[in-house]
Amino acid sequence: MESQILSIRGMTCAACAQRIERTVRKLPGVKRASVNLASEKLFVEYEADSLQISVVRESIAKIGYQAVEKSDTKNVIIPIGDMTCAACARRIEKVVGKLEGVTGASVNFATEKASISYDPKKVRLSIIRKAIEKAGYKALELSRPDAVDDDMARRRKDIRVLWAKFIVSAAFSLPLLYIAMAPMITVIRLPFPSGLDPMKYPLLYALVELILVAPVIGVGYKFYTVGFRALFQRSPNMDSLIAIGTTAAVLYSAYNVGRIAAGGFGAVESLYFETAGVIITLILLGKSLEAVSKGRTGEAIKKMMGLAPKTATVIQDGAEKEIPIEEVEIGDIVAVKPGAKIPVDGTIIEGRTAIDESMLTGESMPVDKKAGDAVYAASLNANGAIRFRADKIGSDTALAQIIRLVEEAQGSKAPIAQTADIVSGYFVPIVCAIAALAGVAWFLGSRDLEFSLTIFISVLVIACPCALGLATPTAIMVGTGKGAENGILIKSGEALETAHKIDTVVFDKTGTITEGKPAVTDVITARGTKRKQLLQIAASAEKGSEHPLGQAIVHEAEDKGLDFLKTDTFEAITGRGIEAKINGAAVLAGNRKLMKERKISLSALEKASDKLAGEGKTPMYVAIDGSLAGIIAVADVVKQSSRAAIESLHKMNIQVAMITGDNKKTAAAIAKQVGIDRVLSEVLPQDKSDEVKKLQGEGRVVAMVGDGINDAPALTQADIGVAIGSGTDVAMDSADIVLMRSDLMDVPTAVNLSKKTIRNIKQNLFWAFGYNTVGIPIAAGVLHLFGGPLLNPIFAAAAMSLSSVSVLTNALRLKRFKAAH
C-alpha cells in the first residue's frame, strides 16, 4: 500500500473537491482518497500493484483539474545571463542535454531561464552550472520549482491575480451600477449625463451598459469555462451556479437590447446587465478575501519549511565549499560552525558540541553531541565546530517527515466532515432544481418573466457550497498546524476529533510518568553475602540484558569500578527477570513473581522489600544457587511535569490510570506521588492491550500514552494512541498522536486543542448550514409571499461571498490557541 499527496489546481468550491474524490475512489486499487479544499491537496492511498499514480493524475485531468506531484527526478530553474538571441538558448539546451543524468533541458530566451530535469544520482547540479559557464553564459542564482516557498509564491501570485481581476471588475461594474440605478432613484436627484437619459436615448443607454459589462464578464471568464464544463459533465459546482445565473441575466438583457434596436423602447426597463456585473465583482472580492485567509491557514507548515538553511558547507578535495542545500548528496561530509544550522540529517564523525533541537523536540536545553551521535536538519549548532556524514537529505530528513505528517493530517477528514461532504455533494444539483422550480412557479403565478428571472438568479447565486466545504478542513488545518507548533503531531483528522471525547487516560509508567532512567538506590544483602559481591554478580548477570532496571545495575557497578565476571549462559525471562550461570553458580535476578515461580523464600528480607516498595523503589531480588542473596533497589525519578499534567486532566474531568509491570506497592507509591486515580500493576507488556480493552468494555473512551515501541499493541487498541518520543520517532505507526518532547503537559494540551478545534468546526457548520437554510427560502421569495421583502441578486452575491470568508475567519481564531504549561 502506497500513499501520495498531490497538489490540485483549478478547484473553486466543495463540489469540486467532492467530484475529484468520487473520480479517484472509482479507480481500481484506491483504498482512500481525501481532498482538502483549503490546502488544495489530495491525499490518496492505493495498491501500487494495481494502480500507477499517473493514472490518478490523468483521471483528474479528464474532469478539468490538474494534479501535481513531486517526482524522483529533480527539477530546477536556473536564470541565465549573457544570452543575446534564440540561438544562445538552443546552444545551452544542447550542452546541458548531452550531460549524463540530464533527462530534459529547455531554455526560454524571453524569460532568460533554463528549466532542467536531472537524476541527482548521476549528475550534480554544480556540474550542470559549470557546463553552462563553460559554454560562455552565466548561471545565475538558482530558483527551483519545487522549492519550499514555491507554493507560497504561487498562492501570492493567485491572490495578486484575483485582486487585479476584482479591481478591473469593480472599475467597470460600479459605473454600470450607477448608470442602472441613478435614473430610478427619485427621492434624491443624482447627477446623470443627459446624453444617456434612458427615456430619450434608450439604445445608447443600453449599449453603454453592454459595453461596461463586457470587461467584467471577460475577467470572470473562468466562472463560465469551468462552470459550464462541470455542468455539461453532470457535476455542477459553484461556478456553474454563477455561470447559469449571470448568463441568464446577460442573455435576457441582450434580448431586450435587440428589442430596443427594433423600436421596442419600453424594453429599456428590462435590462439586468448591472446584476451580472455586480455579482461577478462581489464574488471576485469574496474569492480574493478567501484566498488570503486560506493562505494563512497553512502558516504552520510554512514556518517549519523555513527552518532549514539554504546552503551547506561540504568538504570537497580536502577544502570547505559552500553549496546550495539541494546539491548535498548522501555520503557528503558536511562542516558546521558554531551558531550555524544543521543542513541535513547525519552522523557526527568529528568534533563535540551542543545542539539546540527545540525545532524538533520542543526542548529548550541544547543536547550534548559527540562522534557517532545523530544530528538533524534545521537544528542549531550552539557552540563547537563539527563535521558529519550526510545520511538523509531532502524529503527523508526528520523535518521533512514532520512536515509530511502534518500535511497528511491536514489532508485527512474528521468523521464530523462526512455530513457536510454528503450534503455538499448533492447541494448544487438540488439548488439548480430549487431555482428552476421557484422561477417557474413564480412565472406561472405572476406571468412576470422579469420577476421570475430575479428569483431564479437570486437562488442560484446565494447558494454556495464553499462555506460547507471549508468549514471542516480549514479548522483541521489550523488545529493540526497549531499542534505542530507546540510539538504535538496529530496524524489525522479522525484522531483530532476523537481526542475531545476522551474520558480516561492510561499512562505507561517507565519513561512516561517517570524519566525512564532508573538508578540504583539501595543494596541490601542476606546473611553471608557482601554488598560488593552482590552488586558484582548481579551486574555481571545483567550485562546481557537490555532492560532499563538491569542496565541501571550495570551502570552502578561501572561507577564503582567493579570487574565483570564471565557469564557462561544467559536467558531473559519476559516480564520477570533474567537467569544466568556465572562461574558455575546459578543466578536469578528479577521480581517477586520470578522468585515465587522458582520457590525461593523471600521471608528474610520481606520487611526491607516492603519498605523499599513503599518508597516507590523497585526491589530487584537476586538469588544464587536457589537461595536469596539480597535485594538491589532501583528507582525511576518521576518527571516534573507528571503531577501538573495529571492535575490538568482531572480539571477536565478525565480519569487517569497508570499501567506498569511493577509490583502493587511500588506502583501505588508512584501513583500517590503524582495523583493517579487507578493503578494497573504487574501487567506484562503483551497484556497491556487487554487492560485497555477492559476499560473500553466499561464504556470509556481511552487514550493510551506510552513510548510507542513496547507499548505498540496498547497504543493500537486504545481509541487514541499517544506516543512520547523525539521528533525522529514521527514515523511510529502505532500512535495517532506523537508528542515530540517528553513533557506530559502536552497530553492535556492535545485534548484541549481537540476540544477547541471540534467546537470551531461545529460553529462553522452551524453558520454554513444556517446560512443556506435561511438564505435559499428568502431568495426563492417565501417572505415575499407574505408581503415581505424580495432578495435582490446583488445582495445574494454579497451574502454568498461573506459566508465563506466568515467561516475562514472563524477557523483562524484557533491560531490564538495557547498550550497548557
Side-chain angles (χ1 to χ4, degrees):
M1 190 68 67
E2 290 192 14
S3 61
Q4 285 271 5
I5 296 177
L6 304 179
S7 294
I8 305 296
R9 308 282 188 266
M11 290 193 297
T12 57
C13 68
C16 300
Q18 278 281 302
R19 189 171 175 220
I20 293 167
E21 284 180 355
R22 285 198 303 269
T23 301
V24 175
R25 283 171 185 161
K26 288 177 184 176
L27 296 174
V30 172
K31 182 182 177 185
R32 187 155 61 101
S34 177
V35 176
N36 187 317
L37 177 63
S39 64
E40 298 179 342
K41 295 267 195 326
L42 161 69
F43 175 79
V44 59
E45 197 172 350
Y46 62 98
E47 295 281 357
D49 295 338
S50 53
L51 181 69
Q52 292 185 340
I53 199 67
S54 57
V55 176
V56 176
R57 293 202 310 273
E58 287 168 10
S59 66
I60 292 169
K62 282 179 183 177
I63 58 173
Y65 306 94
Q66 184 184 5
V68 182
E69 67 164 330
K70 287 186 178 179
S71 171
D72 292 334
T73 301
K74 281 192 175 182
N75 298 297
V76 294
I77 294 177
I78 304 176
I80 306 294
D82 292 348
M83 286 196 300
T84 56
C85 66
C88 300
R90 183 66 185 147
R91 174 164 167 70
I92 295 169
E93 287 176 352
K94 282 185 177 180
V95 169
V96 175
K98 287 178 182 177
L99 295 174
E100 184 184 1
V102 173
T103 56
S106 175
V107 179
N108 188 319
F109 174 63
T111 60
E112 297 184 334
K113 288 182 179 178
S115 177
I116 299 166
S117 301
Y118 71 101
D119 184 346
K121 295 175 183 175
K122 295 181 180 179
V123 63
R124 278 185 175 272
L125 186 59
S126 55
I127 294 173
I128 296 172
R129 294 170 66 89
K130 281 180 184 175
I132 295 169
E133 299 277 353
K134 195 174 179 181
Y137 306 96
K138 288 181 180 177
L140 304 176
E141 187 179 348
L142 190 68
S143 171
R144 295 182 299 124
D146 62 338
V148 290
D149 33 26
D150 178 61
D151 189 54
M152 293 166 62
R154 182 185 61 78
R155 283 183 180 272
R156 289 195 196 103
K157 182 182 176 183
D158 289 346
I159 290 168
R160 284 198 302 272
V161 169
L162 280 168
W163 279 121
K165 286 183 174 182
F166 164 69
I167 290 168
V168 170
S169 181
F172 286 94
S173 61
L174 287 175
L176 172 61
L177 180 64
Y178 185 85
I179 290 171
M181 301 304 294
M184 300 181 191
I185 299 171
T186 55
V187 180
I188 305 171
R189 189 170 182 81
L190 296 172
F192 193 82
S194 57
L196 283 180
D197 189 332
M199 295 300 105
K200 295 180 181 178
Y201 310 103
L203 183 59
L204 179 60
Y205 175 82
L207 289 173
V208 168
E209 283 199 7
L210 180 59
I211 291 168
L212 286 171
V213 83
V216 180
I217 293 171
V219 295
Y221 76 95
K222 274 198 171 181
F223 293 126
Y224 301 96
T225 56
V226 175
F228 282 120
R229 181 173 58 200
L231 187 65
F232 295 147
Q233 292 176 344
R234 292 182 296 178
S235 296
N237 58 11
M238 184 269 290
D239 290 329
S240 304
L241 300 179
I242 297 165
I244 296 168
T246 55
T247 299
V250 170
L251 289 179
Y252 181 69
S253 301
Y255 164 73
N256 284 315
V257 171
R259 286 176 59 199
I260 294 168
F265 298 146
V268 75
E269 295 179 2
S270 302
L271 299 177
Y272 283 85
F273 289 123
E274 82 285 352
T275 300
V278 175
I279 285 172
I280 290 173
T281 301
L282 288 171
I283 291 167
L284 285 171
L285 173 61
K287 284 287 178 188
S288 302
L289 295 171
E290 186 180 309
V292 172
S293 299
K294 280 164 66 178
R296 291 181 60 201
T297 60
E299 282 179 359
I301 283 185
K302 293 172 194 171
K303 285 178 184 176
M304 285 190 282
M305 286 178 166
L307 290 171
K310 304 296 182 188
T311 61
T313 302
V314 299
I315 309 301
Q316 290 184 358
D317 301 323
E320 293 186 357
K321 183 179 180 183
E322 189 171 331
I323 62 173
I325 189 74
E326 62 273 4
E327 288 193 36
V328 177
E329 304 293 351
I330 293 173
D332 281 352
I333 305 302
V334 183
V336 184
K337 295 176 181 177
K341 283 186 176 182
I342 307 294
V344 295
D345 290 5
T347 305
I348 296 176
I349 59 171
E350 185 182 317
R352 296 178 69 95
T353 187
I355 294 180
D356 179 0
E357 295 181 343
S358 58
M359 42 65 64
L360 278 176
T361 65
E363 298 288 353
S364 57
M365 293 298 292
V367 181
D368 290 332
K369 299 280 185 176
K370 61 184 185 304
D373 289 341
V375 293
Y376 304 104
S379 56
L380 182 66
N381 184 23
N383 44 45
I386 58 169
R387 289 188 178 187
F388 71 90
R389 181 183 63 253
D391 295 333
K392 293 180 180 179
I393 60 174
S395 60
D396 294 328
T397 65
L399 178 66
Q401 286 183 42
I402 292 171
I403 292 169
R404 179 173 176 81
L405 191 69
V406 176
E407 279 188 325
E408 287 183 0
Q410 293 183 342
S412 67
K413 289 187 176 179
I416 197 171
Q418 292 174 359
T419 304
D421 286 345
I422 293 168
V423 172
S424 58
Y426 293 102
F427 189 78
V428 176
I430 290 171
V431 167
C432 289
I434 291 172
L437 287 172
V440 170
W442 278 106
F443 179 73
L444 294 175
S446 65
R447 294 293 171 181
D448 188 334
L449 181 60
E450 292 173 21
F451 182 82
S452 303
L453 184 64
T454 300
I455 295 288
F456 176 71
I457 295 170
S458 295
V459 173
L460 288 175
V461 171
I462 198 169
C464 172
C466 289
L468 282 173
L470 291 169
T472 302
T474 48
I476 288 176
M477 281 185 73
V478 179
T480 52
K482 201 67 189 174
E485 285 179 17
N486 289 283
I488 301 166
L489 298 181
I490 301 166
K491 294 171 74 173
S492 68
E494 185 175 357
L496 183 65
E497 177 174 347
T498 306
H500 90 285
K501 301 174 185 175
I502 289 168
D503 56 25
T504 305
V505 175
V506 179
F507 287 102
D508 177 50
K509 182 181 80 72
T510 306
T512 304
I513 289 176
T514 63
E515 291 287 355
K517 296 176 183 177
V520 173
T521 58
D522 302 86
V523 178
I524 300 171
T525 59
R527 186 174 297 175
T529 309
K530 294 181 180 179
R531 284 169 52 91
K532 183 178 177 182
Q533 180 192 9
L534 180 67
L535 185 60
Q536 185 182 39
I537 291 172
S540 300
E542 293 283 4
K543 185 76 172 173
S545 172
E546 295 181 357
H547 194 281
L549 299 183
Q551 287 299 302
I553 294 172
V554 172
H555 292 320
E556 180 69 11
E558 287 174 342
D559 291 342
K560 291 281 192 285
L562 300 178
D563 294 326
F564 291 94
L565 304 173
K566 185 182 177 184
T567 305
D568 299 321
T569 62
F570 172 85
E571 183 186 353
I573 305 168
T574 305
R576 291 166 178 79
I578 58 129
E579 183 175 11
K581 262 209 165 147
I582 299 175
N583 294 336
V587 179
L588 280 175
N591 58 20
R592 181 184 293 265
K593 192 177 288 186
L594 178 62
M595 298 297 136
K596 283 189 175 181
E597 285 177 359
R598 298 302 176 92
K599 306 280 193 300
I600 293 170
S601 174
L602 304 177
S603 58
L605 297 176
E606 195 75 53
K607 286 184 179 179
S609 172
D610 291 346
K611 183 175 180 292
L612 292 169
E615 294 170 353
K617 299 170 183 176
T618 301
M620 175 84 76
Y621 300 92
V622 181
I624 301 173
D625 289 333
S627 297
L628 183 66
I631 297 173
I632 298 175
V634 179
D636 190 3
V637 182
V638 172
K639 290 179 183 175
Q640 291 183 351
S641 62
S642 294
R643 174 170 278 280
I646 291 163
E647 285 177 357
S648 294
L649 290 169
H650 283 154
K651 288 176 183 176
M652 299 164 76
N653 295 319
I654 294 174
Q655 188 182 85
V656 182
M658 182 179 75
I659 194 165
T660 178
D662 283 349
N663 63 68
K664 289 182 180 179
K665 288 183 178 178
T666 303
I670 295 291
K672 188 176 180 182
Q673 285 184 52
V674 295
I676 295 282
D677 303 312
R678 191 166 174 175
V679 180
L680 307 170
S681 59
E682 298 180 12
V683 180
L684 296 176
Q686 62 267 31
D687 296 334
K688 287 183 180 179
S689 60
D690 292 333
E691 293 296 332
V692 171
K693 197 181 293 184
K694 286 177 187 175
L695 289 170
Q696 291 171 321
E698 296 173 14
R700 296 186 171 276
V701 181
V702 181
M704 171 69 195
V705 185
D707 62 14
I709 301 168
N710 58 8
D711 297 314
L715 290 169
T716 305
Q717 175 62 42
D719 297 282
I720 291 290
V722 182
I724 298 269
S726 70
T728 57
D729 296 324
V730 297
M732 284 188 286
D733 295 328
S734 52
D736 302 295
I737 298 174
V738 178
L739 308 181
M740 293 193 293
R741 48 192 176 188
S742 299
D743 188 349
L744 288 195
M745 282 302 295
D746 288 341
V747 176
T749 296
V751 175
N752 196 28
L753 178 62
S754 170
K755 288 179 183 289
K756 293 277 177 68
T757 304
I758 297 305
R759 186 187 307 150
N760 192 280
I761 289 172
K762 287 178 178 176
Q763 289 169 352
N764 286 347
L765 289 173
F766 171 79
W767 288 112
F769 277 119
Y771 159 81
N772 284 297
T773 303
V774 173
I776 292 174
I778 292 173
V782 171
L783 293 182
H784 193 69
L785 276 174
F786 303 98
L790 184 68
L791 187 65
N792 187 290
I794 291 173
F795 292 112
M800 185 271 277
S801 296
L802 287 172
S803 68
S804 297
V805 176
S806 65
V807 163
L808 284 160
T809 305
N810 188 49
L812 288 171
R813 289 193 307 113
L814 282 170
K815 292 172 75 69
R816 297 194 293 239
F817 175 82
K818 300 291 183 185
H821 286 295

